Amino acid sequence: MLKQGPAKKVTVYVGEDVHHHGEALYLAVLNYLFYHGVSGATVTKGVAGFGSHHHLHTTRILEISENLPIKIEFVEQLAKLDEIMPKLVQMVSPGLVEMQDTTVVTMSAAPRDQPDVTRVTLSGKAKLMRIFIGENDRWRGKSLYDAVVESLRTNDIAGVTVYRGICGYGAHRRFHKEKRLSLSQDLPIILSVIDEEAKLRAYLPILEQMVEEGLVVLSDVDVIKYMHRLEQPVQGTESAS
């Protein structure tokens, strides 16, 4: 964590289209900083600029490949920079790395009245519920999968992930496949939900009212790790009745 006092500001300049091991260089740099404990970093995109090759890059309507300038900035103490800079300089090619002296005057910190946090866990035997529906299915004017996600959240179900298939068929045996430039394909949607069996079975009557056509299955699973923080209201901040 940054401390008040002397520090270094590092600025990295790269092109938007420059890649490193198959991904955009600026993303590779950002991930490197993140996973090596740098306190924070900001990425900004320029609208025009040129570099060592003196090729002018600028935003133009209908121009797909622009290679606009990208700037990554972060502030760190010297000890951390001694650890990360050799690899960072090696990654930024082509590009420019600049370092300046700076002083940390103040840092963002958690408020003194930060809400109490309780960790909620789920472990051991549980149930996996998978819901198979169509992308075009609706419920009360909205996408069915959106409505189901909102309903699960309202009923305190531990969590849900929505997957969009690229092809498949169901009870009507109509084959649905992803097609380019097609806005309406009715591709398969799978919602994956894990929670305690009692909670999922209690939710099933609600789900049955929402899913007119589809498939719902329950499977046994072993939860290895599930943990999240449940924030409690700060005392004295509740709205007056």
Side-chain angles (χ1 to χ4, degrees):
M1 180 177 178
L2 277 177
K3 299 178 181 179
Q4 289 181 327
K8 295 285 187 179
K9 176 186 175 185
V10 180
T11 307
V12 180
Y13 300 87
V14 297
E16 184 179 18
D17 291 343
V18 178
H19 285 71
H20 177 80
H21 293 170
E23 71 173 334
L25 176 56
Y26 71 90
L27 289 178
V29 170
L30 192 64
N31 286 331
Y32 174 74
L33 298 175
F34 179 81
Y35 288 109
H36 283 78
V38 171
S39 299
T42 302
V43 179
T44 55
K45 178 179 178 180
V47 297
F50 67 89
S52 58
H53 295 291
H54 277 71
H55 294 159
L56 183 63
H57 305 283
T58 181
T59 54
R60 295 174 182 171
I61 297 175
L62 301 180
E63 186 171 343
I64 297 175
S65 180
E66 300 160 344
N67 197 28
L68 292 172
I70 296 289
K71 182 171 68 173
I72 307 155
E73 297 177 290
F74 64 95
V75 175
E76 261 300 348
Q77 255 81 43
L78 188 58
K80 172 62 71 173
L81 293 179
D82 289 340
E83 172 190 338
I84 67 171
M85 287 304 292
K87 175 65 174 178
L88 179 61
V89 172
Q90 182 182 352
M91 293 174 65
V92 181
S93 177
L96 172 68
V97 180
E98 176 190 18
M99 187 183 299
Q100 299 176 345
D101 292 329
T102 190
T103 302
V104 177
V105 178
T106 183
M107 302 88 65
S108 298
R112 295 182 179 179
D113 57 350
Q114 185 178 15
D116 295 331
V117 172
T118 302
R119 293 192 177 275
V120 178
T121 62
L122 175 66
S123 60
K125 299 295 182 181
K127 287 287 186 181
L128 165 64
M129 178 169 67
R130 281 173 288 192
I131 307 165
F132 298 81
I133 56 176
E135 187 177 19
N136 291 345
D137 292 346
R138 312 285 292 179
W139 187 79
R140 296 186 179 178
K142 64 172 62 179
S143 296
L144 176 58
Y145 64 87
D146 279 337
V148 171
V149 169
E150 292 173 359
S151 176
L152 289 165
R153 186 169 183 267
T154 301
N155 285 274
D156 296 323
I157 301 300
V160 57
T161 302
V162 180
Y163 300 92
R164 183 175 185 262
I166 60 174
C167 64
Y169 69 90
H172 295 291
R173 305 192 67 81
R174 287 195 297 267
F175 191 76
H176 304 279
K177 184 178 180 181
E178 187 175 35
K179 299 178 181 177
R180 292 183 179 179
L181 303 180
S182 177
L183 299 179
S184 179
Q185 302 165 31
D186 198 22
L187 292 171
I189 295 289
I190 304 172
L191 294 90
S192 179
V193 188
I194 295 180
D195 209 326
E196 298 171 352
E197 180 176 4
K199 292 180 66 177
L200 291 182
R201 291 198 178 277
Y203 177 75
L204 284 177
I206 300 173
L207 186 63
E208 289 175 358
Q209 294 179 11
M210 301 177 70
V211 178
E212 296 181 356
E213 288 189 0
L215 174 67
V216 179
V217 297
L218 285 174
S219 306
D220 294 326
V221 293
D222 291 321
V223 176
I224 306 302
K225 181 178 180 180
Y226 171 82
M227 181 179 294
H228 77 279
R229 296 177 299 173
L230 181 64
E231 294 187 354
Q232 303 293 339
V234 179
Q235 187 175 5
T237 61
E238 295 86 348
S239 299
S241 57

